[in-house]
Amino acid sequence: MPERRNAAPRRPARPSLRRRLLTFLLVPVFGVLLLDAVIGYFVALAYSNRVHDATLSDNALTLSEMIDSDALRGELTEQARFLLEYDPNGRNYYTVTSARHGRVISNASLGGPDVAVDAPPRLYDTELGHRPLRAATMRVPNRHDAGDTLTITVAENLRDRHARAREILLLTLPMQALLIVAVLFLVWLGVSHGLGVLEPLTSRLARREHDLGPIGEEDVPVEILPLTRTIDDLFARMRNMLGLQERFIADAAHQLRTPLAGIRLHVERLADTTDPAQRDDAMAHVQRLAARAARTSAQLLALTRTQSPDLPDSDGMATIDLATVVPEAVAMRVHQALAAGVDLGYEGADVPCLIRGDALQVQEAIDNLVDNAFHYAGRGHVVTVSLACGENDVLLAVEDDGPGVDDAFLDQLGERFFRVPGVDEDGTGLGLAIVESIAERHGGRVTFLHAASGGLRVELHFPAISTSSTGQDRSV
């Protein structure tokens, strides 16, 4: 036998707005049709009962008028018997009882409630041999025996009532079904026409190629506005991401051009010379330029990462204690400070300093501030990292006793690729820009001041949170 291949899995049907609307409209309409049929039947049955009850009361009144002396002897006239017993679907039943003489005439044993003399016939439900009946009873004076009263009861089965109700239902149901079909057609037509208003919007979006601008709301139905506004928000995030990508590429091309060109130049020197001194000098330049290119690339990536809209916002951050994070970050830089000949210190309170943020980003900000102080203060100077906890904000500061920055350049610190003129140290001009971006991400701010010792003081102000408002998400 040939090997039976496994059938490919069937793809689930795509959701259809038209099918969904028609389903939500047509299913209730069919339910209404069924409910209408049930209600129509009971309305027809009530009408049939009212007509038959009136006839049954008339029969009881007619029998009371047709009773004569023969009836009191147990016999009925042919007209009375025909009136009472004629029924195409069965028989009617009757009983005439005298207060003095007991049962006078009857074709069934029918009991009934007590009624007043000369009162209108009273209608009630009863049974005869487990057969449901509808009966009418009345009490009248005996015209042939003064002082005596006659109780007259007539009854009929319920088959004819139900038959009449079914006939009424069958007469009205086709018209109602035709009306429902017309309603269904109008619903389908209305849904199809209503969805047609999306065609201009669809055509306008189809004509777009690389346009990520807002869709606009001039031809958008009110019901679709939440969707188009969500798409506009998505377009805005995509524009931001593409902008960051383009800026990163442009910055990388601009900042890496010089070190890469220098590396190429010195590699050519290595290839063209056999002098050991020149080879050592060229190799030193290659190493320095390669380190500069690596640092520039790392800081460009760090800056782009802090500006990315995909990073969690303040609602997605955790409660961190800067009194723990900052000393650990400073301790990790001690060996580098010793190698650079810089006196690195920390000043801070022992009480918790809680903020809402990301510990890794805060540590990255501290690293950039310390690196900046190392580079521009220089060997033999002092760099101090301090932390102060206020009621409304937490102050993280890094200051040095180096040459400082002129007042004319303080406002430009933090700008991308800005370097203070006259500084010989290699730098990318991105460290303080990264710090400002991290501060903005945490809802804080950065200020650049002159230190008391004459150097530069950089302050980060973070919004503080009280210890009573922290939950289970505290992290360090």
Side-chain angles (χ1 to χ4, degrees):
M1 293 180 60
E3 184 179 355
R4 189 174 183 179
R5 296 181 179 179
N6 295 329
R10 180 176 297 179
R11 293 182 178 179
R14 289 187 177 182
S16 170
L17 182 59
R18 184 192 307 275
R19 183 168 59 247
R20 188 178 181 88
L21 288 175
L22 290 176
T23 300
F24 276 110
L25 291 174
L26 297 185
V27 171
V29 167
F30 279 114
V32 169
L33 176 61
L34 179 61
L35 180 63
D36 180 68
V38 173
I39 294 176
Y41 174 77
F42 283 104
V43 170
L45 182 60
Y47 177 77
S48 178
N49 284 334
R50 187 169 62 179
V51 173
H52 280 76
D53 286 348
T55 302
L56 197 61
S57 298
D58 291 342
N59 289 343
L61 291 171
T62 303
L63 180 59
S64 67
E65 294 176 357
M66 297 178 68
I67 291 178
D68 54 12
S69 58
D70 292 334
L72 298 178
R73 293 193 297 271
E75 297 179 0
L76 284 176
T77 62
E78 291 297 330
Q79 294 85 352
R81 190 179 300 278
F82 177 80
L83 171 68
L84 295 172
E85 295 185 357
Y86 174 74
D87 184 1
N89 298 318
R91 296 185 62 189
N92 287 343
Y93 306 93
Y94 58 89
T95 296
V96 179
T97 304
S98 170
R100 288 182 179 179
H101 307 290
R103 183 178 300 175
V104 178
I105 54 175
S106 68
N107 64 351
S109 178
L110 301 172
D114 293 334
V115 293
V117 178
D118 288 334
R122 181 174 178 181
L123 296 161
Y124 62 96
D125 295 321
T126 186
E127 288 185 353
L128 181 61
H130 302 291
R131 179 182 300 173
L133 301 175
R134 183 69 169 170
T137 185
M138 61 181 301
R139 190 177 178 189
V140 297
N142 190 345
R143 297 191 303 270
H144 304 285
D145 188 354
D148 188 19
T149 58
L150 299 176
T151 301
I152 302 170
T153 303
V154 294
E156 64 180 8
N157 57 42
L158 305 180
R159 287 179 297 178
D160 190 54
R161 297 168 179 253
H162 290 283
R164 299 291 83 76
R166 287 193 295 271
E167 290 177 2
I168 296 173
L169 179 63
L170 292 176
L171 287 174
T172 59
L173 193 58
M175 293 184 292
Q176 293 176 349
L178 183 61
L179 180 62
I180 292 297
V181 170
V183 170
L184 296 181
F185 174 75
L186 292 177
V187 167
W188 178 84
L189 191 64
V191 169
S192 300
H193 179 72
L195 293 178
V197 301
L198 297 178
E199 293 182 0
L201 175 62
T202 304
S203 301
R204 182 159 60 86
L205 291 178
R207 290 192 297 269
R208 289 191 174 196
E209 293 184 357
H210 304 290
D211 183 10
L212 294 179
I215 295 175
E217 301 180 359
E218 63 274 5
D219 57 350
V220 179
V222 176
E223 293 78 8
I224 309 297
L225 276 179
L227 175 61
T228 57
R229 289 171 180 171
T230 303
I231 295 176
D232 285 343
D233 292 340
L234 175 61
F235 283 172
R237 292 195 295 271
M238 291 182 65
R239 289 196 302 272
N240 291 336
M241 291 297 296
L242 292 175
L244 285 175
Q245 182 182 12
E246 293 174 357
R247 186 161 55 185
F248 173 79
I249 294 173
D251 292 344
H254 179 269
Q255 294 297 315
L256 295 178
R257 182 185 298 113
T258 299
L260 291 178
I263 290 174
R264 180 179 178 181
L265 175 64
H266 292 292
V267 168
E268 292 176 351
R269 285 181 59 197
L270 284 172
D272 293 339
T273 185
T274 57
D275 184 1
Q278 291 188 7
R279 292 179 64 88
D280 292 342
D281 181 69
M283 183 60 69
H285 280 84
V286 168
Q287 292 177 346
R288 182 176 59 83
L289 292 172
R292 177 181 173 185
R295 177 175 173 77
T296 300
S297 300
Q299 289 203 313
L300 281 173
L301 288 173
L303 180 61
T304 303
R305 185 170 59 250
T306 59
Q307 294 175 340
S308 173
D310 291 338
L311 285 176
D313 55 16
S314 59
D315 293 334
M317 295 183 180
T319 299
I320 59 176
D321 185 4
L322 291 187
T324 302
V325 174
V326 175
E328 291 179 353
V330 173
M332 294 174 62
R333 305 302 301 271
V334 170
H335 295 291
Q336 184 179 356
L338 293 175
V342 175
D343 183 5
L344 177 63
Y346 169 74
E347 297 177 356
D350 295 333
V351 296
C353 297
L354 304 181
I355 69 167
R356 195 79 171 171
D358 185 338
L360 293 178
Q361 290 190 36
V362 172
Q363 183 172 347
E364 186 171 2
I366 296 172
D367 286 340
N368 279 278
L369 290 176
V370 171
D371 284 341
N372 185 76
F374 283 0
H375 292 155
Y376 297 109
R379 182 176 294 273
H381 288 276
V382 178
V383 175
T384 304
V385 180
S386 61
L387 182 67
C389 305
E391 183 177 354
N392 298 320
D393 66 349
V394 176
L395 174 61
L396 170 62
V398 177
E399 68 174 79
D400 60 74
D401 62 349
V405 178
D406 292 339
D407 293 334
F409 303 119
L410 277 180
D411 293 338
Q412 294 179 266
L413 296 178
E415 295 180 1
R416 296 160 58 87
F417 306 116
F418 174 76
R419 298 179 61 207
V420 177
V423 177
D424 295 331
E425 291 289 339
D426 289 336
T428 62
L430 293 174
L432 296 181
I434 294 174
V435 173
E436 282 203 334
S437 180
I438 292 174
E440 291 176 0
R441 176 73 67 173
H442 288 72
R445 57 187 175 87
V446 180
T447 56
F448 302 99
L449 307 169
H450 292 294
S453 58
L456 177 67
R457 176 180 174 87
V458 183
E459 295 182 348
L460 277 74
H461 299 263
F462 295 103
I465 59 176
S466 62
T467 56
S468 61
S469 64
T470 58
Q472 300 297 325
D473 61 341
R474 176 171 175 174
S475 64
V476 294

